[in-house]
Coordinates of all heavy atoms in Angstrom, one line a residue:
E1 N -173.0 -44.6 -58.9 CA -172.4 -43.3 -58.9 C -172.0 -42.9 -60.3 O -171.6 -43.7 -61.2 CB -171.1 -43.4 -58.1 CG -170.3 -42.1 -57.9 CD -169.1 -42.3 -57.0 OE1 -168.2 -43.1 -57.4 OE2 -169.0 -41.7 -55.9
S2 N -172.2 -41.6 -60.6 CA -172.0 -41.1 -62.0 C -171.4 -39.7 -61.9 O -171.8 -38.9 -61.0 CB -173.3 -41.1 -62.8 OG -173.1 -40.6 -64.1
G3 N -170.6 -39.4 -62.9 CA -170.1 -38.0 -63.1 C -171.0 -37.2 -64.0 O -171.4 -37.6 -65.1
D4 N -171.3 -36.0 -63.6 CA -172.2 -35.1 -64.4 C -171.6 -34.8 -65.7 O -172.3 -34.6 -66.7 CB -172.5 -33.8 -63.6 CG -173.4 -34.1 -62.4 OD1 -174.1 -35.1 -62.4 OD2 -173.3 -33.2 -61.5
K5 N -170.3 -34.8 -65.8 CA -169.6 -34.4 -67.1 C -169.0 -35.6 -67.8 O -168.2 -35.5 -68.6 CB -168.6 -33.3 -66.8 CG -169.1 -32.0 -66.3 CD -168.1 -31.0 -66.2 CE -168.7 -29.7 -65.6 NZ -169.7 -29.1 -66.4
D6 N -169.5 -36.8 -67.4 CA -169.0 -38.0 -68.0 C -169.7 -38.1 -69.4 O -170.9 -38.1 -69.5 CB -169.4 -39.2 -67.2 CG -169.0 -40.5 -67.7 OD1 -168.5 -40.6 -68.9 OD2 -169.2 -41.5 -67.1
T7 N -168.9 -38.1 -70.5 CA -169.4 -38.2 -71.8 C -169.5 -39.6 -72.3 O -170.1 -39.9 -73.4 CB -168.5 -37.4 -72.8 OG1 -167.2 -37.9 -72.8 CG2 -168.6 -35.9 -72.4
V8 N -168.8 -40.6 -71.6 CA -168.8 -42.0 -72.0 C -170.1 -42.7 -71.6 O -170.8 -43.3 -72.4 CB -167.6 -42.7 -71.5 CG1 -167.5 -44.2 -72.0 CG2 -166.3 -42.0 -71.9
F9 N -170.4 -42.5 -70.3 CA -171.7 -43.0 -69.7 C -172.3 -41.8 -69.1 O -172.1 -41.6 -67.8 CB -171.4 -44.2 -68.8 CG -170.9 -45.4 -69.4 CD1 -169.6 -45.7 -69.3 CD2 -171.7 -46.3 -70.1 CE1 -169.1 -46.9 -69.9 CE2 -171.3 -47.4 -70.7 CZ -169.9 -47.7 -70.6
P10 N -173.0 -41.0 -69.8 CA -173.4 -39.6 -69.3 C -174.3 -39.7 -68.1 O -175.3 -40.4 -68.0 CB -174.3 -39.1 -70.5 CG -173.8 -39.9 -71.7 CD -173.4 -41.2 -71.2
G11 N -173.8 -38.9 -67.1 CA -174.6 -38.8 -65.8 C -176.0 -38.2 -66.0 O -176.9 -38.4 -65.2
T12 N -176.1 -37.4 -67.1 CA -177.4 -36.8 -67.3 C -178.5 -37.8 -67.6 O -179.7 -37.5 -67.5 CB -177.3 -35.8 -68.5 OG1 -176.8 -36.5 -69.6 CG2 -176.4 -34.6 -68.1
R13 N -178.1 -39.0 -68.0 CA -179.1 -40.1 -68.3 C -179.4 -40.9 -67.1 O -180.2 -41.9 -67.1 CB -178.5 -41.0 -69.4 CG -178.1 -40.3 -70.6 CD -179.2 -40.3 -71.7 NE -178.7 -39.7 -72.9 CZ -179.5 -39.7 -74.0 NH1 -180.6 -40.3 -74.0 NH2 -179.0 -39.1 -75.1
L14 N -178.8 -40.6 -65.9 CA -178.8 -41.5 -64.8 C -180.2 -41.5 -64.1 O -180.6 -42.5 -63.5 CB -177.8 -41.1 -63.8 CG -177.5 -42.2 -62.7 CD1 -177.1 -43.5 -63.3 CD2 -176.4 -41.7 -61.8
E15 N -181.0 -40.5 -64.2 CA -182.3 -40.5 -63.6 C -183.2 -41.4 -64.3 O -184.1 -42.0 -63.7 CB -182.9 -39.0 -63.6 CG -182.1 -38.1 -62.7 CD -182.6 -36.7 -62.8 OE1 -183.6 -36.5 -63.5 OE2 -182.1 -35.8 -62.1
K16 N -183.0 -41.6 -65.6 CA -183.9 -42.5 -66.3 C -183.9 -44.0 -65.8 O -184.9 -44.6 -65.7 CB -183.6 -42.5 -67.8 CG -184.0 -41.1 -68.4 CD -183.8 -41.1 -69.9 CE -184.2 -39.7 -70.5 NZ -184.0 -39.7 -71.9
P17 N -182.7 -44.5 -65.5 CA -182.7 -45.9 -65.0 C -183.5 -46.0 -63.7 O -184.1 -47.0 -63.5 CB -181.2 -46.2 -64.7 CG -180.5 -45.3 -65.7 CD -181.3 -44.1 -65.8
S18 N -183.4 -45.0 -62.8 CA -184.2 -45.1 -61.6 C -185.7 -45.1 -61.8 O -186.4 -45.8 -61.2 CB -183.8 -44.0 -60.6 OG -184.2 -42.7 -61.2
N19 N -186.1 -44.4 -62.8 CA -187.5 -44.4 -63.2 C -188.0 -45.7 -63.7 O -189.1 -46.2 -63.5 CB -187.8 -43.3 -64.2 CG -187.6 -41.9 -63.6 OD1 -187.7 -41.7 -62.4 ND2 -187.3 -40.9 -64.4
I20 N -187.1 -46.4 -64.5 CA -187.4 -47.7 -65.1 C -187.4 -48.8 -64.0 O -188.3 -49.6 -64.0 CB -186.4 -48.0 -66.2 CG1 -186.6 -47.0 -67.4 CG2 -186.7 -49.4 -66.8 CD1 -185.5 -47.2 -68.4
L21 N -186.5 -48.7 -63.1 CA -186.4 -49.7 -62.1 C -187.5 -49.6 -61.1 O -187.9 -50.7 -60.6 CB -185.0 -49.5 -61.3 CG -183.8 -50.2 -61.9 CD1 -182.6 -49.8 -61.2 CD2 -184.0 -51.8 -61.9
S22 N -187.9 -48.4 -60.7 CA -188.8 -48.2 -59.6 C -190.1 -49.1 -59.6 O -190.4 -49.8 -58.6 CB -189.2 -46.8 -59.5 OG -190.0 -46.5 -58.4
P23 N -190.8 -49.2 -60.7 CA -192.0 -50.0 -60.7 C -191.8 -51.5 -60.6 O -192.7 -52.2 -60.2 CB -192.7 -49.6 -62.0 CG -191.7 -49.1 -62.9 CD -190.6 -48.5 -62.0
S24 N -190.6 -51.9 -61.0 CA -190.3 -53.4 -61.0 C -189.8 -53.9 -59.7 O -189.9 -55.1 -59.5 CB -189.3 -53.7 -62.2 OG -188.1 -53.1 -61.9
I25 N -189.2 -53.1 -58.9 CA -188.7 -53.6 -57.6 C -189.3 -53.1 -56.4 O -188.9 -53.4 -55.3 CB -187.2 -53.4 -57.6 CG1 -186.8 -51.9 -57.6 CG2 -186.5 -54.1 -58.7 CD1 -185.4 -51.6 -57.4
G26 N -190.3 -52.2 -56.5 CA -191.0 -51.7 -55.4 C -190.3 -50.6 -54.7 O -190.1 -49.5 -55.2
N27 N -189.8 -50.9 -53.5 CA -189.1 -49.9 -52.7 C -187.7 -49.6 -53.2 O -186.7 -50.3 -52.9 CB -189.0 -50.4 -51.2 CG -188.5 -49.3 -50.3 OD1 -188.2 -48.2 -50.7 ND2 -188.3 -49.6 -49.0
L28 N -187.6 -48.6 -54.1 CA -186.4 -48.3 -54.8 C -185.3 -47.9 -53.8 O -184.1 -48.3 -53.9 CB -186.6 -47.2 -55.8 CG -185.5 -46.9 -56.7 CD1 -185.2 -48.0 -57.7 CD2 -185.8 -45.6 -57.6
S29 N -185.6 -47.1 -52.8 CA -184.6 -46.5 -51.9 C -184.0 -47.6 -51.0 O -182.8 -47.4 -50.6 CB -185.2 -45.4 -51.0 OG -186.3 -46.0 -50.2
A30 N -184.6 -48.7 -50.8 CA -184.1 -49.8 -50.0 C -183.0 -50.6 -50.7 O -182.2 -51.2 -50.1 CB -185.2 -50.7 -49.5
C31 N -183.0 -50.5 -52.0 CA -182.1 -51.3 -52.8 C -181.2 -50.5 -53.7 O -180.1 -50.9 -54.0 CB -183.0 -52.3 -53.7 SG -182.1 -53.1 -55.0
F32 N -181.6 -49.3 -54.1 CA -180.9 -48.6 -55.2 C -180.6 -47.2 -54.8 O -181.2 -46.3 -55.3 CB -181.9 -48.7 -56.4 CG -181.3 -48.2 -57.7 CD1 -180.3 -48.9 -58.3 CD2 -181.7 -47.0 -58.2 CE1 -179.8 -48.4 -59.5 CE2 -181.2 -46.5 -59.4 CZ -180.3 -47.2 -60.1
P33 N -179.7 -47.0 -53.8 CA -179.4 -45.6 -53.4 C -178.7 -44.9 -54.5 O -177.6 -45.4 -54.9 CB -178.5 -45.8 -52.2 CG -178.0 -47.2 -52.3 CD -179.0 -48.0 -53.0
L34 N -179.2 -43.9 -55.1 CA -178.7 -43.3 -56.3 C -177.8 -42.2 -56.0 O -178.2 -41.1 -55.4 CB -179.9 -42.8 -57.2 CG -179.6 -42.3 -58.6 CD1 -179.1 -43.5 -59.4 CD2 -180.9 -41.8 -59.2
G35 N -176.5 -42.3 -56.3 CA -175.5 -41.3 -56.0 C -175.2 -40.4 -57.2 O -175.1 -40.9 -58.3
R36 N -175.0 -39.2 -57.0 CA -174.6 -38.3 -58.0 C -173.4 -37.5 -57.6 O -173.3 -37.0 -56.5 CB -175.7 -37.3 -58.3 CG -177.0 -38.0 -58.9 CD -176.8 -38.6 -60.2 NE -176.2 -37.7 -61.2 CZ -177.0 -36.9 -62.0 NH1 -178.3 -36.9 -61.8 NH2 -176.4 -36.1 -62.9

């Protein structure tokens, strides 16, 4: 979970972790429900 206006750990960067994780763990949605 991330805040869109979080300046400490910016939520705007949160989509990138999902892109990096996806190829390494296969079914991303089964393990990594991404909340915004």
Side-chain angles (χ1 to χ4, degrees):
E1 184 177 59
S2 176
D4 290 336
K5 298 185 181 298
D6 181 354
T7 58
V8 182
F9 294 100
T12 54
R13 306 264 183 174
L14 194 56
E15 293 179 359
K16 292 183 179 180
S18 65
N19 293 335
I20 297 173
L21 272 173
S22 182
S24 63
I25 63 175
N27 186 1
L28 188 65
S29 61
C31 167
F32 188 71
L34 192 61
R36 295 296 304 275

